């Protein structure tokens, strides 16, 4: 009975619900985006741990103190059966039809990805790619499920002004710039200055 399944995400949330969580899902770019956010927040002096499909397995972490930050790379497989998981900041970077062997069709796949927003409340933030072709489907799912969080549409042009100050060639590529625009949107909500962001991004190594 799948209703009795308790996912690693739900267990992790139950143990660490006093910690601030940033969750990243999407078909492509999850690991990179998590590492960019981690680099920026560490540069800003925050106590950060990246877990999930990247870094340490999600349930191998000892409980953190309040005020610490977890960055989670979350797959559609983890989201599919999760019921109580909630993240202060949750992002869907993009959706492309890569895992349809598991989810059968793109409608199911977008619905599962959208679950990252389902447990959020009015003080939380959801981030969605403005230019991804499946974002409209996700917005319809959000509307239908009456998601309470603050929706932020992320556009890679948001980072254009930063490019003049970034001398890291890694961010010349379109995909990496998209990852940076998500990282930028999230860390700005956490009060990180542009100066720290530029310094961290210039030192970032993939």
């Amino acid at each position: 009975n799948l209703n009795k399944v308790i996912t690693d995400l739900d267990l992790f949330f139950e143990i660490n619900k006093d910690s601030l969580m940033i969750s990243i899902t999407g078909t492509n770019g999850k690991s990179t985006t998590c590492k960019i956010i981690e680099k920026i927040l560490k540069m800003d002096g925050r106590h950060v741990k990246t877990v999930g499909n990247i870094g340490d397995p999600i349930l191998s972490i000892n409980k953190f103190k309040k005020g610490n930050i977890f960055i989670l790379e979350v797959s559609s497989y983890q989201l599919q059966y999760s019921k109580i998981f909630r993240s202060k900041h949750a992002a869907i970077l993009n959706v492309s039809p890569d895992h349809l062997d598991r989810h059968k069709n793109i409608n199911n796949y977008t619905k599962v990805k959208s679950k990252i927003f389902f447990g959020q409340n009015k003080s939380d933030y959801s981030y969605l790619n403005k230019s991804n072709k499946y974002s409209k489907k996700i917005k319809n799912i959000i509307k239908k499920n009456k998601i309470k969080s603050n929706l932020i549409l992320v556009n890679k042009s948001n980072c254009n002004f930063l490019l003049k100050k970034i001398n890291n060639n890694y961010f010349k590529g379109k995909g990496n710039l998209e990852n940076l625009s998500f990282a930028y949107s999230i860390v700005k909500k956490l009060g990180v200055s542009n100066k720290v962001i530029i310094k961290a991004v210039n030192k970032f190594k993939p």
Side-chain angles (χ1 to χ4, degrees), residues 10-26:
D10 284 346
L11 276 173
F12 179 81
F13 174 72
E14 195 59 47
I15 297 163
N16 297 288
K17 53 186 164 192
D18 290 337
S19 296
L20 190 146
M21 294 186 199
I22 299 167
S23 301
I24 308 293
T25 195

Side-chain angles (χ1 to χ4, degrees), residues 25-90:
T25 195
T27 309
N28 303 299
K30 294 187 291 294
S31 299
T32 303
T33 305
C34 287
K35 294 310 278 183
I36 298 168
I37 295 168
E38 180 188 65
K39 182 77 176 174
I40 294 168
L41 292 178
K42 281 187 172 175
M43 186 73 74
D44 200 46
R46 315 284 180 107
H47 199 255
V48 188
K49 189 81 180 164
T50 302
V51 295
N53 293 345
I54 179 176
D56 294 312
I58 201 164
L59 292 178
S60 69
I61 302 298
N62 292 326
K63 192 172 175 181
F64 260 28
K65 294 174 192 163
K66 198 171 178 179
N68 290 327
I69 300 171
F70 283 113
I71 304 167
L72 289 79
E73 181 185 319
V74 181
S75 73
S76 57
Y77 305 156
Q78 288 171 305
L79 287 166
Q80 190 164 10
Y81 301 113
S82 292
K83 296 176 191 72
I84 64 166
F85 176 71
R86 173 181 158 244
S87 189
K88 177 81 179 168
H89 299 270

Side-chain angles (χ1 to χ4, degrees), residues 7 27 29 42 50 56 59 90 109 118 132 135 146 150-151 154 165 176 181-182 185 200 204:
T7 65
T27 309
K42 281 187 172 175
T50 302
D56 294 312
L59 292 178
Y109 186 39
F118 281 19
N132 185 251
S135 290
K146 297 184 171 67
N150 302 284
L151 178 64
V154 176
K165 297 174 182 177
N176 297 330
S181 62
F182 272 90
S185 297
F204 180 76

